[in-house]
Amino acid sequence: MNRSVGIGAGVAILFAIITVYSALFTVNMTQQAIVLQFGDPRGDVITQPGLHWKLPFVQNVVYIDKRILNLDSPTEEIIAADRKRLVVDAFARYRIVEVLKFYRAVRDQRLTETRLQPNFASALRNVLGDNSLEALVRDNRAGLMQQIRDSFNKTTRELGIEI
């Protein structure tokens, strides 16, 4: 009898430890977290680092980076307004500012670059293609970079991303 009580108590303690372990999660300083219940976001975005609770076995956690991230564009040939060919190697830096909007639009942070790449290339082609080589290289370089950023930001706002 004592042996079966001991085994039952051991199983109960093991189950309690597993339940507490699955109810706890940590958020690092470089992360934000969304608690999902059956795939649907519950509550606010957790931005404070530390130890947090969730319902075990029912809720799961998705972590989103809150650092500034890089987007490297492949080398692209662009024709300027004065019919000169340019080989452009560009990059952008972005951060996720609206986490829930980002999660609903993209779902997976690894897919972000594939979603942003065509918009970035389009913004580059539109702005650089409307200007002459002289304006690109010498006259208005900073202004053109700002135009590219503003054009790119218009398309990324719906994703919850800021360039």
Side-chain angles (χ1 to χ4, degrees):
M1 187 72 156
N2 285 340
R3 184 177 174 101
S4 63
V5 170
I7 291 173
V11 168
I13 290 172
L14 181 64
F15 181 73
I17 289 172
I18 290 171
T19 302
V20 169
Y21 180 74
S22 67
L24 294 173
F25 67 96
T26 58
V27 177
N28 293 330
M29 289 175 40
T30 61
Q31 296 175 327
Q32 307 173 73
I34 304 172
V35 177
L36 304 175
Q37 185 169 330
F38 304 117
D40 186 36
R42 295 287 176 203
D44 292 333
V45 175
I46 300 169
T47 58
Q48 295 297 320
L51 191 61
H52 299 277
W53 292 89
K54 65 178 179 71
L55 293 175
F57 312 116
V58 175
Q59 295 178 333
N60 61 339
V61 179
V62 173
Y63 297 101
I64 307 289
D65 210 337
K66 66 178 173 181
R67 296 177 287 188
I68 295 176
L69 304 167
N70 292 326
L71 174 67
D72 288 323
S73 174
T75 303
E76 191 168 342
E77 189 171 304
I78 297 174
I79 299 174
D82 56 356
R83 303 283 184 222
K84 304 278 183 173
R85 292 182 184 268
L86 304 169
V87 177
V88 178
D89 186 20
F91 69 94
R93 298 193 189 269
Y94 67 95
R95 86 177 141 199
I96 300 163
V97 290
E98 296 180 47
V99 178
L100 288 175
K101 188 185 277 190
F102 173 80
Y103 179 75
R104 288 185 179 117
V106 180
R107 289 277 176 184
D108 191 355
Q109 193 168 348
R110 294 172 292 198
L111 299 175
T112 307
E113 193 166 320
T114 58
R115 289 283 302 265
L116 293 179
Q117 202 66 257
N119 296 334
F120 186 44
S122 175
L124 275 173
R125 281 191 305 269
N126 289 341
V127 172
L128 297 181
D130 289 342
N131 291 284
S132 67
L133 178 63
E134 189 174 301
L136 294 174
V137 175
R138 187 174 46 146
D139 295 342
N140 194 13
R141 189 174 184 158
L144 292 174
M145 289 191 317
Q146 202 163 29
Q147 284 179 2
I148 293 168
R149 185 193 67 206
D150 293 342
S151 174
F152 192 26
N153 257 336
K154 287 178 187 174
T155 60
T156 60
R157 278 196 194 114
E158 64 193 29
L159 302 176
I161 294 174
E162 176 184 71
I163 304 299

